[in-house]
Structure formats: structure tokens, C-alpha cells
Amino acid sequence: MRILVIGNGAREHALVWKLAQSPRAKEIYVAPGNAGTAQIARNLDISPTDIESLVKVACQKSIDLAVVGPESPLALGVVDALEREGIPTFGPRKEGALIESSKVFARELMQKYSIPCAQGTSFASFKDACDYVKKQTAPLVVKADGLAAGKGVIIATSKKQALEALADIMEKRIFDHAGDQVLIEECLVGREASLLAFTDGETVVPMIPACDYKRALDGDQGPNTGGMGSYSPSEFFTPELEEQVLETIIKPAVRAMAQEGKPYKGVLYTGLMITTEGPKVLEFNARFGDPEAQVILPLLQTDLVNIMEAVIEGTLSQIDIQWSAESCVGVVMASAGYPGSYKTGFHISGLGEVDQGILIFHAGTTRVESRGKGDSRAKRLQSEASPDSVLTSGGRVLTVAATGKTLADARAKVYRNLPRISFEGCYCRKDIAAI
Ligand code: AMP
Ligand code: GLY
């Protein structure tokens, strides 16, 4: 099969790595990929949001399976566009992706179909939102309706902070149109976990539960990021809890989408807060999580190509999906300054010096050959570096992962190897999976 993976993060590297293990995968292309995917697949210099070019290249290369990693192309309708050309594509159509791309839509769906979530209200008027906040008690959670690269949720510990968040989103429009509407929610308390599931629109098959770490610094301090690490399975997620989440949340959500005329297929990611009243939805995502994919996919024992094909063809009920009984831990190495501004173009050393079995999934990396991009320092470093050098090109640079018989085992392997890899200013959390 000729496979096209869309995206350039560590999630997409993990997807390419897993797909490449299938005997059915003959050629894998990645648009645009990174230095890691370039080692095992062919990178194509196309942006994940350039739908026209993606469709064109998929036709040219006679792609048999397209896999969409990130949310933006899903929200733009890349699946609809590829399907129009007859290209089998893994991921929900634009209308299905609304479950992530509009938090207001997701909330209305959950309310209509009695799916447990935080109490809350949506507003399209800044004044109405402010009036509402003034009548509430803090803490409050303010959410921009649309996609905001994981930054659109503000946990306001005072009314003043909530009002400031509203002004940022609705008046200053820091998230542009994503802030046309906002949600104001009660602040849920409990443990967080993510349960991802494959679905063909009817059958739902859960993956193994995972936990991710969104804050930049140890002890869940510092600003929110795209994710600084994760582990799987989550130790407190019992089979009973999984059953409850499946029956009260994930299956009802998939059925609800079908009933609304927006059939959903692909991966449905459910971010959960396990409260004293039971599990409640924090968010739905229309794709694999990043960094969850980097710890879930190494534990998957079934051929991912077969699973994705079954999802597309509506035959998921016929597939037996097997998971390893081991654990997996993934730690993100990030550039100094991330999630704020950071510099790029630094040489990454030690990539070849890790123990066997250590997985290095690349995100913001580039090979020395790719010239013309980056600042002058990056160019200078490029000319000084050896031909197989890898340079940093983003905020989250690598996810270093390992599997082990126990979580502690996997964790020890990762942290033993991390110091061997370095680049100027790199930082990572020291407390991933320290439970
Ligand atoms: P999201 O991008 O929707 O996953 O939100 C980012 C983070 O904000 C989540 O991982 C939670 O830690 C937190 N969060 C979102 N909604 C709520 C809520 N209603 N109550 C408490 N925390 C929340
Ligand atoms: N790890 C959270 C996300 O992918 O949205």
C-alpha cells in the first residue's frame, strides 16, 4: 500500500513508525514530516493545511491510505476533499471534526444526549459573558470555542481573571475567530485521563488509557503547553471505569453524531476528569493525542494498517485489537522558552547514543540539507554540522519513549537515556509518570 501521513509532530512520527511495521506498507509519504520521519519515509514539502496540494499529491502518488494527524486539516475538510477523489482516508469529515473544532457544538451535543460534562454556558456577546461571570463564584473555566493550539482554555481562579480572559478572547481576539464564542464552565476537580477509541461510526474499540502532562514545569507548574509527556496505561483507570466511560460517554457520543447526520469515524479522543460523581468530559478531540500517541502506539500489537482500513470500510467489529501488557512512558524535550518564544537551529547531539529499544519520536527537527529556512544562526550551524546532523526547528523537539514491564521500569529507562541527548537550552520535565 502507498500511504500518506499528514502532519509533522512526534505523533505523526509515531504513526509513520507504527504503519511502517505493517507488511502491507510499501511506501510511506509524510506531508511535511520532520527529520525523524525522513529516516523511515519520504517527506513531502506540503503544509498540513494546504488541502489542494495534499489532494493533488495523493492523486499523483496513487495513495491507498491517507492518515490525518493534526486537527487543523480535519477542521478544514481534508478528509472530505480526499474522499471526493476516491482516496481512502482515516479521520472524520469536516462535520465530524466539529466535535473538536467547536467546543460550543460539543457542549450542545453532550447536553442534548445527556453525556456527563462540566456545567456551563456559551456566549457570543462579550457583555453577556461578563454579566454572567459577575454572578458566579470562582474558580471558573473560560474556553474559546474554536481551535487554539491547546491554549484556548483558561482556568480562572478569580472573577477578575475570568473577565480578563474574556477580554483577551472576545475583545482583543487573541485567538481570532476561535473566540467568536466562548464557554464558561464550572471547574471540575479530580484526576485527569484520556481514553482514545477507534470507531467506524458504529463499532467503538477503546485503546489503552493514557495520562498526559500539559503544564511546562515539574509539579504541574508553569504555563499550559501542547503536552510535556505522558504514560500508558494510567494506573487508576480500572476496567470498570473504562466500561463506564465507554457506555456513558464514548458510545453515546458516536451514536449522537450519527443521529445528528454527522457520522464519525477515525479516532475519538476523550479528555476526562474522574470526579467523585463519576467521569466527566473535559474535551473531545477528533484525532490521536500528542503526546498520547507516542505512548499508546508502542503498545499496540495489531497491524495499524488493518485497523485503519477497517475503520474506513466500516468493518471494525471484525478486527481483534491486541495490546501489550507492558507500560510506556514518553518525555518531551523542549526548546528553552517554549511554550513562549524560543530559538531554533541548534544541533541535537546524542541521538545515536541511546540504549536499544529507546524510541525517539521527532517533532520540531530538521535535517541539515533543508536549506533556505531558519535564521542566519541556523544557517551557520548548518554549514558547521556534519551531513547527518539534525537541528531543532520547533518548541517541542523530541518525545523520548520506552516500554517496560512496569511503569517504573519504563520510566527508569527513559530518564536514564535522556541525558545522553542534548541541544542548547533543552529542557524536560523530571516527573513524568512519577506516581
Ligand atoms: P482542554 O484543552 O479542553 O483539554 O483543556 C486543557 C486543560 O484544562 C485540561 O486538560 C484540564 O486540565 C483543564 N480543564 C478543561 N476544562 C476544565 C474544567 N471544566 N474543569 C477543570 N479543568 C478543566
Ligand atoms: N494531549 C492533548 C492533545 O493532543 O490535545
Side-chain angles (χ1 to χ4, degrees):
M1 281 176 103
R2 298 156 72 83
I3 301 172
L4 170 66
V5 175
I6 297 168
N8 61 350
R11 165 184 48 208
E12 286 74 25
H13 188 186
L15 281 166
V16 171
W17 168 80
K18 194 73 212 174
L19 290 164
Q21 290 169 17
S22 170
R24 299 180 66 196
K26 211 166 179 189
E27 242 169 314
I28 305 184
Y29 298 92
V30 196
N34 54 42
T37 61
Q39 290 166 3
I40 51 173
R42 291 199 201 180
N43 286 357
L44 303 170
D45 191 15
I46 301 172
S47 156
T49 52
D50 182 355
I51 308 298
E52 212 182 296
S53 301
L54 289 169
V55 171
K56 207 166 130 194
V57 85
C59 293
Q60 270 169 4
K61 306 235 180 259
S62 311
I63 293 298
D64 302 300
L65 169 65
V67 178
V68 190
E71 59 275 20
S72 316
L74 292 171
L76 289 170
V78 73
V79 176
D80 313 51
L82 287 165
E83 282 181 349
R84 271 197 294 275
E85 298 301 323
I87 292 160
T89 307
F90 182 84
R93 293 184 189 147
K94 186 176 182 171
E95 292 230 299
L98 270 175
I99 204 160
E100 171 169 8
S101 64
S102 170
K103 290 186 193 292
V104 172
F105 170 83
R107 158 159 294 280
E108 283 168 2
L109 188 85
M110 288 188 276
Q111 280 172 339
K112 182 168 171 189
Y113 292 89
S114 303
I115 295 169
C117 59
Q119 288 193 8
T121 318
S122 60
F123 297 92
S125 141
F126 176 60
K127 185 181 174 304
D128 291 352
C130 291
D131 289 347
Y132 176 84
V133 162
K134 285 173 194 156
K135 286 185 232 131
Q136 304 299 308
T137 45
L140 291 166
V141 182
V142 178
K143 299 184 173 184
D145 172 53
L147 298 180
K151 295 179 191 148
V153 175
I154 296 100
I155 315 280
T157 49
S158 66
K159 284 194 206 183
K160 183 168 167 274
Q161 251 182 31
L163 292 170
E164 279 166 11
L166 287 175
D168 283 343
I169 297 171
M170 301 189 89
E171 289 235 303
K172 292 190 197 148
R173 314 211 37 99
I174 57 170
F175 304 124
D176 204 2
H177 281 297
D180 286 351
Q181 293 187 80
V182 291
L183 274 179
I184 302 173
E185 288 182 356
E186 65 170 327
C187 190
L188 296 175
V189 181
R191 291 197 74 167
E192 264 190 77
S194 317
L195 188 62
L196 286 70
F198 293 107
T199 180
D200 59 6
E202 219 164 286
T203 301
V204 174
V205 182
M207 302 185 206
I208 37 174
C211 282
D212 78 334
Y213 293 74
K214 290 206 170 70
R215 301 290 200 96
L217 307 174
D218 288 357
D220 286 332
Q221 302 297 307
N224 259 323
T225 69
M228 294 299 291
S230 59
Y231 66 90
S232 180
S234 43
E235 78 295 358
F236 61 91
F237 214 95
T238 60
E240 294 71 36
L241 179 58
E242 179 175 309
E243 187 65 17
Q244 191 183 0
V245 171
L246 263 184
E247 295 305 322
T248 64
I249 294 173
I250 304 184
K251 285 184 185 174
V254 170
R255 274 199 301 270
M257 290 299 281
Q259 274 178 34
E260 294 295 307
K262 299 175 170 57
Y264 189 93
K265 67 177 166 63
V267 169
L268 182 60
Y269 168 127
T270 310
L272 297 156
M273 189 73 89
I274 315 303
T275 73
T276 49
E277 292 169 14
K280 295 188 180 181
V281 177
L282 291 173
E283 61 163 345
F284 285 120
N285 291 326
R287 50 172 173 85
F288 280 99
D290 184 342
E292 285 91 338
Q294 295 93 295
V295 297
I296 290 175
L297 292 172
L299 298 173
L300 176 63
Q301 291 183 324
T302 308
D303 188 325
L304 185 57
V305 172
N306 290 349
I307 299 174
M308 289 184 161
E309 191 177 58
V311 163
I312 293 167
E313 291 177 357
T315 55
L316 191 58
S317 62
Q318 294 166 26
I319 296 248
D320 181 23
I321 300 183
Q322 297 286 336
W323 299 94
S324 155
E326 295 204 321
S327 296
C328 190
V329 173
V331 177
V332 170
M333 297 186 77
S335 300
Y338 173 80
S341 60
Y342 52 82
K343 291 181 180 164
T344 59
F346 297 116
H347 172 66
I348 307 173
S349 65
L351 289 170
E353 287 161 32
V354 295
D355 294 337
Q356 215 183 355
I358 298 293
L359 301 165
I360 303 177
F361 295 121
H362 291 224
T365 68
T366 180
R367 283 186 302 174
V368 160
E369 295 86 46
S370 55
R371 294 188 180 274
K373 284 182 186 164
D375 54 24
S376 54
R377 190 190 58 260
K379 291 214 181 93
R380 178 174 56 75
L381 282 163
Q382 281 184 1
S383 59
E384 284 170 6
S386 65
D388 58 351
S389 272
V390 175
L391 304 180
T392 66
S393 65
R396 288 193 295 172
V397 176
L398 305 166
T399 302
V400 180
T403 54
K405 285 212 162 30
T406 63
L407 203 57
D409 240 19
R411 173 170 203 278
K413 280 191 203 170
V414 173
Y415 279 107
R416 203 169 43 236
N417 280 273
L418 269 172
R420 301 183 197 167
I421 309 167
S422 73
F423 50 89
E424 194 173 316
C426 73
Y427 83 95
C428 62
R429 278 183 65 159
K430 305 281 184 290
D431 63 346
I432 304 300
I435 38 176

